[in-house]
Amino acid sequence: MDVEIHENERVDALFSNGIKIIQSSEVFSFSLDAVLLADFTNPAKKKEQKIVDLCAGNGAVGLFLTPKSSAQIYEVEIQPRLADMAKRSIDLNGLEERVTVINDDLNNVFDYLAKDSIDTVTCNPPYFEDQPDSKKNPNQYLALARHELAVTLEQTIEQASGLLKMNGRVSYVHRPERLIEMIELMKKHRLEPKRVQFVYPKRNREANMVLVEAIKDGKPGGLRFMPPLFVYEENGEYTEEVRKIVYG
């Protein structure tokens, strides 16, 4: 399909699976957290199953899941420009029959999808609370993506739980300093955390990302902490593990 690439846009690819994503320096672009979230997620795989990516941005996480699954994928994104980029990326990869963009506030998601109908949910939400004294990016696209201006962490968790079938799974990427809050909110909304993996920029540095998987109405307990993931060697090159994820 012939897909229009607008001025100030570029096409980036995840070499490990060949998926192409339309990006722009003017708006929020996907980064390593999206790649790691898609890699961490164990998605539903059958054609008749359904996956939802909340806070989808330009569609990267949902598209990165397509080589791992034959399920229908729905990408929910509030910003029209990012949703349009996601739609064109879907067309660019020839995935329009499998991936659908919902351009709306995720708090309206049940206008489009039935409750208790989804097998897998993923979410790469805004990381920072909207505090009166918090410094926000003057670029509104970046501010919305990074700060909870349009949606809170609890709202994303509540909607994820509402979407999921019993025993459905949700995967998040977030900041380690909000892990306890996230686990408390998940338990409040019937999501039982089962896997946690910390991501470190380098060895001997503090973690700067955490990946969490939870099961709806899962049995309490049984939380597993996966081996740590280190992103860079001391020389600034990707570690072997991350290089495999990015380049295959």
Side-chain angles (χ1 to χ4, degrees):
M1 179 181 289
D2 190 20
V3 175
E4 185 177 0
I5 307 299
H6 298 161
E7 188 179 356
N8 297 321
E9 291 183 343
R10 66 184 188 275
V11 177
D12 290 341
L14 184 61
F15 295 100
S16 59
N17 58 27
I19 295 293
K20 298 173 183 176
I21 308 287
I22 296 170
Q23 306 242 80
S24 172
S25 58
E26 297 178 347
V27 299
F28 186 78
S29 299
F30 84 84
S31 54
L32 190 63
D33 50 3
V35 178
L36 297 182
L37 176 59
D39 182 73
F40 177 79
T41 299
N42 290 319
K45 293 180 170 58
K46 298 177 182 176
K47 277 186 179 180
E48 62 272 18
Q49 294 180 305
K50 295 177 182 177
I51 297 169
V52 172
D53 180 38
L54 300 175
C55 306
N58 61 358
V61 174
L63 285 166
F64 294 156
L65 288 174
T66 56
K68 299 172 70 172
S69 172
S70 299
Q72 288 292 311
I73 297 175
Y74 299 88
E75 302 192 319
V76 183
E77 171 52 42
I78 191 170
Q79 299 195 61
R81 183 171 175 184
L82 288 172
D84 172 66
M85 292 169 72
K87 288 176 185 175
R88 286 183 288 122
S89 290
I90 291 164
D91 293 342
L92 190 64
N93 290 282
L95 292 165
E96 54 274 9
E97 293 185 5
R98 287 184 49 204
V99 187
T100 303
V101 175
I102 296 170
N103 179 205
D104 202 346
D105 188 321
L106 64 79
N107 291 300
N108 300 329
V109 71
F110 300 114
D111 293 344
Y112 305 88
L113 299 166
K115 283 195 172 187
D116 308 314
S117 69
I118 304 301
D119 301 278
T120 304
V121 173
T122 56
C123 188
N124 181 0
Y127 288 162
F128 305 107
E129 292 180 281
D130 180 21
Q131 302 287 2
D133 59 346
S134 59
K135 189 175 181 181
K136 299 174 185 69
N137 197 298
N139 181 323
Q140 187 68 7
Y141 296 104
L142 299 177
L144 276 168
R146 291 172 179 166
H147 286 84
E148 295 179 348
L149 302 176
V151 68
T152 65
L153 176 59
E154 181 164 14
Q155 286 172 327
T156 71
I157 289 171
E158 184 176 10
Q159 299 306 85
S161 179
L163 286 166
L164 284 170
K165 298 175 179 177
M166 186 180 290
N167 294 322
R169 295 173 185 264
V170 61
S171 295
Y172 269 79
V173 61
H174 217 294
R175 302 278 290 192
E177 59 264 32
R178 299 192 71 181
L179 176 61
I180 292 174
E181 177 190 1
M182 185 188 301
I183 288 175
E184 289 173 346
L185 290 171
M186 284 178 164
K187 285 178 171 286
K188 176 181 174 181
H189 293 287
R190 300 168 56 193
L191 298 171
E192 187 63 31
K194 292 296 181 183
R195 279 197 306 142
V196 172
Q197 185 174 37
F198 289 101
V199 181
Y200 299 80
K202 290 183 178 180
R203 292 171 179 83
N204 302 317
R205 295 274 295 276
E206 290 186 6
N208 62 352
M209 280 188 269
V210 64
L211 297 153
V212 182
E213 178 190 69
I215 296 178
K216 184 174 178 179
D217 296 324
K219 291 181 181 178
L223 178 61
R224 297 157 56 210
F225 286 84
M226 313 310 291
L229 182 62
F230 301 101
V231 176
Y232 295 107
E233 301 286 5
E234 289 305 314
N235 63 5
E237 301 282 331
Y238 279 143
T239 60
E240 183 178 355
E241 190 171 4
V242 171
R243 197 163 58 245
K244 283 181 181 176
I245 294 169
V246 174
Y247 296 109

